Amino acid sequence: MRRRLLYNDREGMRMVQLFIYPKTGDPSTFPLGVKRVSIGRAAANDIVLSDQFSSGCHAVIAPTERGYALLDQGSKNGTFVNGRRVNGEIDLARGDEILVGSTRFYFDRDLQTNIEMVEGTTFTHSSNTIIQVKDILKKPPSSGALKTPGGGLDLDRLQQDQKIIAVISEVSQALIYHMPLDKLLEHIMDVLTQHLPMDRGVLMLKDEATQVLEPKVIKILNGALRTQSIFVSQTIVKTALERNSAILISDIQSDEQLRAQESVVQAQIHSAMCVPLWNNQDIIGLIYCDRASLLEQFSEDDLRLLTLLANLAAIKIENARLYEESLKMIQMERELALAVQIQKNFLPRDEPAFAPYDISGSTRACYHVGGDYYDFIPIDKDRLGVVIADVAGVGVSAALLMASLRGALHEKFPTTYNLSDLTAGLNDFVYTSSDSHCFISFFLVVVDRRKDELAYVNAGHNSPVLVGPKGSSRLLESTGLCLGMFPGQTYEERTISVGPGDILCLFTDGIVETRKDKREEFGDQRLTDRLKISGSLGSREIMEKIYEDVFAFSGCTEAGDDMTLVVVKRNP
């Protein structure tokens, strides 16, 4: 079904506009709808150009399922979009500049005028007005006296107040419904220019990170000013932001300092206003507007109206930001939920049946998804590979790297059974497929129930603990560096016997580095002590007891880091 081409999410029907700038003559606009629009010199075109450099039927703009596309019609001099010649069809994006002959078009955004901050003050003349925004908001229309000095009713004042109330009500209705932030900003300036005539207007917002003002919407209603830069006094901006004040310069040409500025002379600006966008908590930007061709100067009533409308706009902008942030959070939660499910699919679904060995494992991620990994990989009927690994980091990026390691491991093992060669190959894989700061601690043990023997390799992982039924303990220490630190590493394979009642515990650093009051760590010794008193328990119960000890020690109920445990017990 064809996409709707009218921006009509209850946001006030705004059609896509084509802004036309001929080499000579006045600029104009052309609304785009659901029909193809032809452009050229011939009278049969929808947009007829008096341009000797354009062809009879030069180009066509056509609606598509994606939006709009431009098609060159075999023109003699070519059609250009953002300086590049069009061959065939090209999708248009908002703000694209189209050149047909010597005529320039701007798709769905008017020609952008430069904004320049200039030095200089405008507070030397008696006609300047500075009013704090809070004072304007405290004094709604009709709150002052409506009597003339002679005691009669001030009809002019009453009419002006009623006009302000009507405008505020209309603007409030226009800003009720949600729309994307960029469209909202355009809509705000459209509404302002409808109710407050001006030659030029600029809406600027503070960058949330740098707090620097950035122009977001520029409206040029006086065609003669379209090619001129807008010069905004830094003093005006500083005063508006620091004092949260609305500023009116009602006769710039009478100001001695500004009258000498070339920008003022060229544009013949004689009235301007600057109002902060204050959302009742923070100033998030400002609105600047001026008049040159309009003979009537801005008045104090205009300043109050602009301030009230700017306050409404600031609140709406902040609400739109919060709404879009909430949508991003919802989307992120959905993506994380999907990532969690994918990661769960990578982990063993069941515990292996490998009597007389009782084996259990589990992982608890601190950010929904994490970089911990464990696995059980059957080799043959008497040998089982048990893996535990930990990526340096947490979150989605760590989970993706771990997923890559899992894929490489399952591709190579148990085909490559030599643990030293296998681990060296995995090291080179991780080194070449990740950033320089990414590495993985990795431990792989092969449990041989025919020989009651453990063959293992430890690539920089926390040393697993082997505890005997009489309380003896031994660490299976590192036999090489973590995967991905340096290429061409070698790893030593070691072998150890396992007797009846022995318990082997594999774990990640989230277990032993859990802290109490951000100071003391849980540590290897507490883990070993728990294993020594767990000889009568099954592997699953031992694992749950360790988790209970860790959370009781830290006083928390959630993992502060990814935690993974694997317990291998040889039953008597």
Side-chain angles (χ1 to χ4, degrees):
M1 185 176 70
R2 186 177 296 279
R3 183 175 66 86
R4 294 192 66 183
L5 298 172
L6 295 179
Y7 295 136
N8 183 23
D9 298 328
R10 296 185 175 180
E11 60 189 67
M13 304 274 292
R14 185 177 75 83
M15 295 186 70
V16 176
Q17 296 282 341
L18 193 63
F19 296 85
I20 309 170
Y21 287 87
K23 190 172 184 179
T24 58
D26 295 330
S28 60
T29 60
F30 189 91
L32 300 177
V34 296
K35 295 181 179 179
R36 290 164 59 97
V37 174
S38 59
I39 304 170
R41 279 190 302 157
N45 288 297
D46 298 295
I47 300 176
V48 180
L49 304 179
S50 298
D51 186 338
Q52 60 179 330
F53 299 104
S54 67
S55 300
C57 183
H58 195 110
V60 168
I61 296 178
T64 69
E65 292 182 356
R66 300 175 300 279
Y68 286 92
L70 176 72
L71 300 88
D72 181 78
Q73 299 296 293
S75 61
K76 179 180 179 181
N77 294 320
T79 306
F80 297 81
V81 174
N82 300 326
R84 302 183 66 178
R85 185 163 186 161
V86 176
N87 293 315
E89 178 178 333
I90 184 173
D91 287 337
L92 292 173
R94 194 160 185 260
D96 279 348
E97 181 190 67
I98 305 165
L99 182 62
V100 174
S102 62
T103 305
R104 296 187 183 275
F105 299 79
Y106 292 89
F107 177 73
D108 199 32
R109 178 182 286 169
D110 203 354
L111 172 65
Q112 296 297 286
T113 303
N114 290 330
I115 307 294
E116 296 186 25
M117 295 292 183
V118 296
E119 298 289 345
T121 179
T122 60
F123 304 138
T124 61
H125 196 267
S126 59
S127 62
N128 298 328
T129 303
I130 304 175
I131 308 176
Q132 283 206 323
V133 171
K134 292 181 180 179
D135 292 337
I136 295 177
L137 298 180
K138 286 179 183 177
K139 184 182 178 183
S142 300
S143 63
L146 293 176
K147 298 289 185 179
T148 64
L153 188 64
D154 190 340
L155 294 179
D156 290 340
R157 178 75 263 172
L158 179 61
Q159 289 175 351
Q160 182 62 30
D161 285 351
Q162 288 177 337
K163 175 186 174 183
I164 291 176
I165 292 173
V167 170
I168 292 173
S169 176
E170 185 175 342
V171 172
S172 298
Q173 290 292 323
L175 298 180
I176 284 178
Y177 299 107
H178 172 75
M179 62 189 78
L181 184 59
D182 59 336
K183 295 179 183 178
L184 171 64
L185 300 179
E186 290 273 0
H187 187 54
I188 286 171
M189 289 304 293
D190 286 341
V191 171
L192 288 181
T193 55
Q194 288 172 13
H195 296 285
L196 194 58
M198 61 185 71
D199 284 323
R200 303 187 299 184
V202 183
L203 188 154
M204 305 184 195
L205 290 184
K206 286 182 179 179
D207 181 271
E208 294 184 78
T210 65
Q211 293 298 293
V212 174
L213 284 172
E214 296 181 348
K216 297 296 184 181
V217 182
I218 303 171
K219 292 291 181 182
I220 311 294
L221 290 91
N222 180 351
L225 302 177
R226 291 183 185 275
T227 59
Q228 297 184 15
S229 296
I230 299 177
F231 296 89
V232 181
S233 166
Q234 291 181 352
T235 305
I236 292 178
V237 171
K238 184 177 180 181
T239 302
L241 298 181
E242 292 184 357
R243 294 169 58 179
N244 194 14
S245 297
I247 300 171
L248 165 65
I249 305 98
S250 55
D251 192 356
I252 291 180
Q253 297 298 326
S254 299
D255 190 292
E256 294 180 1
Q257 292 191 24
L258 282 192
R259 189 173 53 198
Q261 291 187 9
E262 183 181 357
S263 60
V264 175
V265 174
Q266 288 178 344
Q268 291 296 304
I269 300 167
H270 58 81
S271 185
M273 294 189 293
C274 184
V275 172
L277 287 164
W278 186 57
N279 61 17
N280 298 333
Q281 290 184 332
D282 301 301
I283 296 174
I284 61 174
L286 61 81
I287 294 175
Y288 169 87
C289 58
D290 59 33
R291 285 179 178 173
S293 62
L294 299 171
L295 296 179
E296 184 180 351
Q297 297 179 7
F298 288 123
S299 65
E300 189 171 321
D301 284 332
D302 293 329
L303 183 67
R304 293 181 180 276
L305 176 58
L306 181 60
T307 303
L308 293 169
L309 297 182
N311 181 244
L312 285 173
I315 295 172
K316 181 63 179 179
I317 290 169
E318 195 62 21
N319 289 340
R321 279 177 168 173
L322 293 173
Y323 180 74
E324 291 190 1
E325 286 176 7
S326 69
L327 291 180
K328 289 179 181 177
M329 289 297 296
I330 292 172
Q331 181 63 26
M332 187 181 298
E333 289 294 332
R334 288 174 179 169
E335 291 177 358
L336 282 174
L338 178 60
V340 168
Q341 188 57 50
I342 292 172
Q343 189 176 34
K344 284 182 178 178
N345 293 337
F346 287 157
L347 298 176
R349 294 174 182 245
D350 301 302
E351 293 168 350
F354 200 66
Y357 290 86
D358 178 17
I359 304 174
S360 296
S362 73
T363 187
R364 301 189 182 186
C366 66
Y367 290 110
H368 301 293
V369 293
D372 281 12
Y373 166 62
Y374 77 96
D375 209 346
F376 307 124
I377 305 175
I379 300 171
D380 54 38
K381 67 182 184 65
D382 290 320
R383 290 182 298 177
L384 175 72
V386 179
V387 182
I388 192 167
D390 183 7
V391 173
V394 293
V396 176
S397 60
L400 290 174
L401 182 55
M402 189 56 72
S404 298
L405 174 68
R406 178 187 182 274
L409 175 63
H410 278 259
E411 179 185 0
K412 297 175 182 296
F413 185 74
T415 304
T416 302
Y417 180 71
N418 184 295
L419 301 189
S420 298
D421 293 344
L422 170 69
T423 309
L426 292 174
N427 171 74
D428 291 342
F429 168 79
V430 175
Y431 181 83
T432 56
S433 60
S434 63
D435 295 332
S436 59
H437 64 277
C438 294
F439 54 89
I440 303 175
S441 65
F442 174 81
F443 181 89
L444 170 61
V445 60
V446 174
V447 182
D448 189 331
R449 62 180 173 184
R450 182 170 54 87
K451 297 181 180 180
D452 288 322
E453 187 176 82
L454 304 178
Y456 70 91
V457 62
N458 186 342
H461 194 77
N462 295 84
S463 300
V465 183
L466 181 66
V467 173
K470 295 183 179 180
S472 62
S473 63
R474 179 175 176 178
L475 299 178
L476 278 57
E477 296 177 336
S478 178
T479 64
L481 296 176
C482 292
L483 304 182
M485 294 186 72
F486 302 100
Q489 294 298 298
T490 59
Y491 295 87
E492 179 187 353
E493 177 182 334
R494 294 178 184 172
T495 304
I496 186 174
S497 298
V498 59
D502 282 355
I503 302 172
L504 174 66
C505 181
L506 286 58
F507 57 92
T508 57
D509 57 10
I511 297 292
V512 294
E513 293 181 4
T514 295
R515 293 181 179 270
K516 180 179 183 180
D517 299 327
K518 297 183 179 181
R519 293 192 297 272
E520 185 182 5
E521 289 186 348
F522 183 77
D524 291 0
Q525 190 57 53
R526 287 186 176 85
L527 176 62
T528 302
D529 292 342
R530 162 53 65 184
L531 295 172
K532 287 180 178 180
I533 61 173
S534 302
S536 62
L537 303 178
S539 62
R540 171 61 59 176
E541 294 173 288
I542 296 172
M543 188 172 59
E544 295 301 330
K545 288 292 184 183
I546 294 172
Y547 280 127
E548 289 176 12
D549 289 352
V550 169
F551 289 125
F553 174 80
S554 66
C556 299
T557 58
E558 294 184 359
D561 189 8
D562 298 335
M563 296 182 180
T564 301
L565 280 169
V566 177
V567 176
V568 179
K569 180 182 179 183
R570 181 186 170 190
N571 288 323

